[in-house]
Amino acid sequence: MVEGIDVYALRSLPQAVDLINAPESFAPLRLDARALLAEAAQYLVDLRDVRGQQAAKRALEVACAGGHNIIFIGPPGAGKTMLAKRIPTILPPMSLEEAIETTRIHSVAGLLENSRGLVGTRPFRSPHHTISDAGLIGGGAVPRPGEVSLGHHGVLFLDELPEFERNVLEVMRQPLEEGSVTIARAATSVTFPARFMLAAAMNPCPCGFFGDSTRECHCSPPQIQRYVSRISGPLLDRIDIHIEVPAVKYRELRGEHAIEESATVRERVLRARTRQLERFAEEKKIYANAQMPPKLLRKHCQISEESEKLLENAITRLGLSARAHDRILKVARTIADLDSAAHVQPHHLSEAIQYRTLDRTYWA
Ligand SMILES: Nc1ncnc2c1ncn2[C@@H]1O[C@H](COP(=O)(O)OP(=O)(O)O)[C@@H](O)[C@H]1O
Ligand SMILES: [Mg+2]
Ligand SMILES: [Zn+2]
């Protein structure tokens, strides 16, 4: 599958001798890697499977369009896991280069099924919250890739985020910042690629039903505060979009209204991504809005005085932290890209402001 190399498929050593003696009588194996990729790029799930949850689906579309990490907050059974599993289906299709990179990692880890020569779908990895840091970032005497690398070019989903050990979350900083992870050993050190989209989910409180309209929550404010604060800090800093996922109403579950399929959403995501590729054509290693450093943020997210007021008002009134400021601007840029708008406008900004649930003081 790697281009630029001739591969001869031989059955025996005598055949190898024949090849050396008469290379002209053998033809190298030709594989149509692109056709193989097209065949492998089939998902078994679709966004159409999820009923209702329009707001969450929109947030998911924004997240995928700008490469933003996302966290879902909602009661058990609302469909958080279901939504997360469908993220790969609305991300841009894998390029051959990406597919080969991901295949290499899965091959090294011994996860490549014999029938499958190529990983053609974006991986979805969902490690349990009891995972060790070695399991997450890789480890072992002969270092093996961890979940962050198995999710390379795909999605790493951390369900019940507050339940993960603090130190486990700490080790995610390098991969989140650099897109790779280094495992140091006395004799050697190995670097594995680890560029993934982070999706996470959590209940709004320890019992799960804070803010739910059908069930009563018995958690005290300090209990809720402690629960939410378990994920504060460096990791939360890397998650641009927070979205509440309430329980679906029965009417929506049974409803017959048309639901968009993944392919339709993916088209819009692709268009927004293309705008970003053009925007960052001159930049090294920056492909999406989520990766913008402060300098680029100032350049590409200029806003009017009216918008500036709106943002200032939101930050002071909702009690948003200072770190929310830049994230809101980045997400607003993505929303403007989905809207094919050259400049960030007030309504783009207002939507972005809504995606900061966990920064609000209302949890206290
Ligand atoms: N919006 C929805 N549309 C269709 N089915 C849903 C929806 N939400 C939940 N379900 C059903 O409930 C099950 C549990 O959903 P899940 O995604 O595991 O919830 P959560 O992760 O929020 O606890 C799903 O497997 C699905 O059968
Ligand atoms: Mg779940
Ligand atoms: Zn509760």
Side-chain angles (χ1 to χ4, degrees):
M1 243 165 296
V2 179
E3 283 165 351
I5 302 173
D6 283 339
V7 174
Y8 293 87
L10 304 176
R11 288 187 191 284
S12 62
L13 279 177
Q15 267 199 352
V17 174
D18 292 344
L19 171 69
I20 291 165
N21 287 334
E24 66 285 350
S25 52
F26 286 83
L29 197 66
R30 287 275 170 252
L31 198 82
D32 189 344
R34 270 157 228 291
L36 210 67
L37 176 61
E39 197 181 302
Q42 304 288 339
Y43 291 95
L44 298 173
V45 294
D46 195 285
L47 206 56
R48 193 179 39 201
D49 310 331
V50 184
R51 304 203 145 257
Q53 301 299 11
Q54 284 315 311
K57 285 183 181 178
R58 165 69 183 177
L60 208 52
E61 177 174 339
V62 174
C64 291
H68 305 283
N69 298 324
I70 187 169
I71 182 163
F72 301 108
I73 306 137
K80 303 182 294 296
T81 301
M82 220 184 163
L83 283 162
K85 276 190 179 151
R86 283 153 183 81
I87 295 175
T89 70
I90 60 170
L91 285 168
M94 260 183 156
S95 68
L96 185 57
E97 211 182 345
E98 288 176 327
I100 289 174
E101 272 185 38
T102 303
T103 303
R104 286 172 63 186
I105 300 167
H106 285 239
S107 173
V108 161
L111 290 179
L112 209 59
E113 299 149 36
N114 276 339
S115 58
R116 239 173 26 141
L118 189 68
V119 177
T121 50
R122 295 192 181 274
F124 176 83
R125 304 294 303 182
S126 176
H128 190 255
H129 57 72
T130 52
I131 193 170
S132 66
D133 47 4
L136 197 59
I137 64 161
V142 179
R144 281 165 50 98
E147 291 293 330
V148 294
S149 296
L150 294 171
H152 185 53
H153 291 316
V155 176
L156 181 69
F157 178 52
L158 303 184
D159 204 356
E160 308 196 44
L161 188 63
E163 305 295 334
F164 281 78
E165 294 286 345
R166 264 259 150 120
N167 65 312
V168 169
L169 298 179
E170 291 291 321
V171 296
M172 301 247 312
R173 280 168 80 169
Q174 192 208 356
L176 280 171
E177 261 157 48
E178 296 166 24
S180 65
V181 65
T182 304
I183 302 159
R185 288 287 170 274
T188 175
S189 94
V190 181
T191 299
F192 290 118
R195 190 173 300 288
F196 53 86
M197 176 171 161
L198 176 68
M202 65 184 283
N203 294 337
C205 66
C207 86
F209 295 100
F210 178 71
D212 194 81
S213 56
T214 55
R215 292 218 230 165
E216 206 174 335
C217 160
H218 296 285
C219 309
S220 70
Q223 277 177 320
I224 297 177
Q225 190 64 40
R226 224 174 308 129
Y227 179 76
V228 174
S229 70
R230 291 189 67 166
I231 51 148
S232 65
L235 188 70
L236 199 55
D237 260 349
R238 298 256 146 217
I239 304 180
D240 289 346
I241 298 187
H242 314 161
I243 182 76
E244 284 168 79
V245 185
V248 206
K249 300 209 171 54
Y250 182 78
R251 202 151 34 87
E252 281 176 331
L253 267 184
R254 302 291 308 158
E256 291 295 313
H257 29 252
I259 305 182
E260 270 189 332
E261 39 184 84
S262 291
T264 314
V265 181
R266 189 169 59 228
E267 282 303 312
R268 293 196 296 265
V269 166
L270 258 175
R271 238 180 298 136
R273 287 267 180 158
T274 306
R275 290 180 72 93
Q276 291 163 64
L277 287 178
E278 287 163 10
R279 172 175 309 135
F280 303 127
E282 306 283 300
E283 313 292 341
K284 284 209 177 62
K285 291 192 169 175
I286 295 193
Y287 313 99
N289 292 334
Q291 301 168 305
M292 273 191 281
K295 193 176 126 232
L296 288 182
L297 194 71
R298 281 195 296 277
K299 181 171 165 196
H300 297 296
C301 304
Q302 288 175 2
I303 51 175
S304 68
E305 218 165 292
E306 182 197 351
S307 297
E308 197 73 66
K309 281 226 179 68
L310 180 79
L311 189 54
E312 189 191 326
N313 197 5
I315 287 183
T316 45
R317 197 165 34 82
L318 294 173
L320 298 189
S321 60
R323 68 169 178 239
H325 180 273
D326 284 7
R327 299 186 187 281
I328 289 171
L329 279 181
K330 280 185 202 178
V331 172
R333 184 58 265 176
T334 300
I335 294 167
D337 285 334
L338 278 168
D339 201 16
S340 303
H343 297 285
V344 174
Q345 289 153 20
H347 65 281
H348 303 136
L349 213 48
S350 319
E351 185 181 342
I353 289 166
Q354 311 216 334
Y355 297 139
R356 299 306 302 176
T357 304
L358 291 175
D359 288 332
R360 278 180 220 152
T361 42
Y362 102 123
W363 295 89

